[in-house]
């Protein structure tokens, strides 16, 4: 049976990647200076430079999830067309967006008893979820059924590794991820966190290192530490610090990883971690 793959822009893929495989994207939103922006909209571009410049000025920025009505409208468009729905979404440990998708499912599934709606909590964020969506879309293009694709995502989502660091602890403090005292002393001593997304889909601090350069090399070294396959595609996302991202890529290349791709961090995620965020994403046997 025909089906559509849906995600939210927390997946952080490029417009070209979404469009190549017909992935349908529902967008989170962010608000600056009282103006609300759609973080992703097909055929349009966001001034990401403006976004990160405002963050550097410590201007208040808020984000909002995709609500249940938005999900219901999008899902029904497929169901009315005789297509099933597979939604692969942002971690429930980070956002309420996945929960909204399940509410939408309960709102409309009885109207379409012959159709199927599957919602998957990736327990991942940014490209961590995006890689699962991308691989699912490639499987669909190869002719895999909705049940086969959904089962693969469920079986492999806890293999997805997220390793990241931030340059300014202020943004994690503002979002309640670290205490004000930890942020203050961390900045004074140039302590940088090494962070991860755990099996519950939550952001956790796995360690602390001294200095920016050390933090970047530490997250890159996690690829070898986890025994990851060098023949896979590895992604890097960055909070408007492309030059440093290129250095992390070079370090991964030196390990023998040939396919390393760099994408700027989507505002819906970057709003919580700030400019200077650096992250790598790859599959390993476990997180």
């Amino acid at each position: 049976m025909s089906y559509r793959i849906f995600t939210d822009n927390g997946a952080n893929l490029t417009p070209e990647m979404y469009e190549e495989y017909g992935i349908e994207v529902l967008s989170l939103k962010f608000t600056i200076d009282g103006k609300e922006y759609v973080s992703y909209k097909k055929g349009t571009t966001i001034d990401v430079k403006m976004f990160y410049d405002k963050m550097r000025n410590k201007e208040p920025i808020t984000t909002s999830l995709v609500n249940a009505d938005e999900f219901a409208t999008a899902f029904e468009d497929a169901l009315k067309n005789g297509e099933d729905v597979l939604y692969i979404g942002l971690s429930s440990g980070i956002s309420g967006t996945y929960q909204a998708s399940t509410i939408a499912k309960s709102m409309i599934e009885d109207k379409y008893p012959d159709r199927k709606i599957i919602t998957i909590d990736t327990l991942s964020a940014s490209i961590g979820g995006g890689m699962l969506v991308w691989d699912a879309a490639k499987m669909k293009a190869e002719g895999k059924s909705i049940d086969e694709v959904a089962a693969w995502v469920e079986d492999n989502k806890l293999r997805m590794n997220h390793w990241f660091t931030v340059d300014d602890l202020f943004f994690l403090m503002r979002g309640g991820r670290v205490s004000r005292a930890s942020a203050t002393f961390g900045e004074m001593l140039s302590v940088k966190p090494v962070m991860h997304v755990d099996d519950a889909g939550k952001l956790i601090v796995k360690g602390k290192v001294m200095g920016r350069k050390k933090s970047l090399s530490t997250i890159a070294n996690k690829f070898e530490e986890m025994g990851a396959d060098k023949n896979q595609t590895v992604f890097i996302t960055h909070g408007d610090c492309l030059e440093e991202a290129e250095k992390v890529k070079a370090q991964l290349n030196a390990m023998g990883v040939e396919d390393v791709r760099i994408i700027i961090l989507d505002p819906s995620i970057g709003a919580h971690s700030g400019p200077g965020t650096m992250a790598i994403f790859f599959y390993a046997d476990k997180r």
Side-chain angles (χ1 to χ4, degrees):
M1 289 185 179
S2 177
Y3 63 98
R4 296 188 202 175
I5 293 180
F6 292 81
T7 191
D8 53 78
N9 68 293
N12 213 151
L13 299 176
T14 65
E16 293 78 16
M17 294 170 78
Y18 291 132
E19 291 166 18
E20 179 180 6
Y21 290 104
I23 301 165
E24 304 216 11
V25 187
L26 291 96
S27 185
L28 290 85
K29 305 172 186 67
F30 64 94
T31 301
I32 306 176
D33 297 331
K35 182 178 179 181
E36 185 176 75
Y37 296 83
V38 176
S39 194
Y40 173 85
K41 184 176 181 181
K42 185 176 180 178
T44 64
T45 57
I46 292 290
D47 187 350
V48 181
K49 181 66 175 173
M50 173 275 294
F51 169 80
Y52 281 108
D53 283 346
K54 286 184 176 290
M55 289 206 77
R56 288 185 177 95
N57 291 332
K58 304 295 193 292
E59 295 187 30
I61 298 175
T62 59
T63 59
S64 56
L65 50 73
V66 183
N67 65 47
D69 288 339
E70 291 171 312
F71 274 115
T73 298
F75 290 172
E76 277 204 275
D77 185 67
L79 300 171
K80 289 177 181 177
N81 197 44
E83 299 171 286
D84 292 333
V85 168
L86 174 59
Y87 167 67
I88 304 170
L90 180 62
S91 173
S92 61
I94 293 172
S95 168
T97 296
Y98 172 73
Q99 183 180 10
S101 77
T102 64
I103 293 171
K105 175 181 176 179
S106 68
M107 289 166 54
I108 62 176
E109 60 185 349
D110 289 345
K111 295 168 60 177
Y112 303 92
D114 297 326
R115 299 266 61 83
K116 185 177 295 186
I117 305 173
I118 300 175
T119 61
I120 297 178
D121 179 359
T122 63
L123 303 173
S124 295
S126 184
I127 292 290
M131 288 175 70
L132 293 164
V133 173
W134 189 47
D135 286 335
K138 287 187 285 186
M139 292 177 67
K140 178 178 182 289
E142 293 167 358
K144 301 294 186 183
S145 71
I146 187 171
D147 291 317
E148 289 175 306
V149 174
W152 183 90
V153 175
E154 289 286 6
D155 288 344
N156 287 275
K157 65 186 185 182
L158 292 183
R159 294 179 52 228
M160 177 52 59
N161 273 253
H162 317 56
W163 292 97
F164 66 102
T165 189
V166 300
D167 193 35
D168 187 343
L169 290 166
F170 168 83
F171 302 101
L172 293 177
M173 180 272 292
R174 186 164 70 178
R177 305 291 182 187
V178 300
S179 69
R180 182 177 295 274
S182 294
T184 300
F185 285 109
E187 289 302 308
M188 289 173 58
L189 300 174
S190 194
V191 174
K192 306 298 182 184
V194 175
M195 303 185 73
H196 186 38
V197 175
D198 66 11
D199 284 357
K202 297 180 181 294
L203 304 181
I204 59 171
V205 177
K206 293 290 285 185
K208 299 174 184 178
V209 297
M210 297 297 293
R212 175 69 167 175
K213 185 176 180 180
K214 180 66 173 178
S215 71
L216 298 181
S217 65
T218 297
I219 63 170
N221 285 333
K222 290 296 181 181
F223 184 87
E224 285 192 322
E225 287 180 25
M226 298 301 297
D229 180 2
K230 296 178 182 179
N231 294 317
Q232 65 178 295
T233 300
V234 176
F235 282 87
I236 297 170
T237 61
H238 66 95
D240 195 29
C241 49
L242 178 59
E243 184 175 341
E244 290 179 313
E246 292 286 0
K247 292 178 180 178
V248 175
K249 177 180 178 179
Q251 187 174 345
L252 290 165
N253 290 153
M255 296 176 190
V257 187
E258 294 185 1
D259 191 2
V260 181
R261 308 190 188 190
I262 298 174
I263 299 176
I264 195 165
L265 191 60
D266 186 278
S268 62
I269 305 296
H272 302 282
S273 57
T277 301
M278 190 73 68
I280 68 167
F281 305 87
F282 57 88
Y283 289 106
D285 290 339
K286 62 181 181 179
R287 289 192 174 180

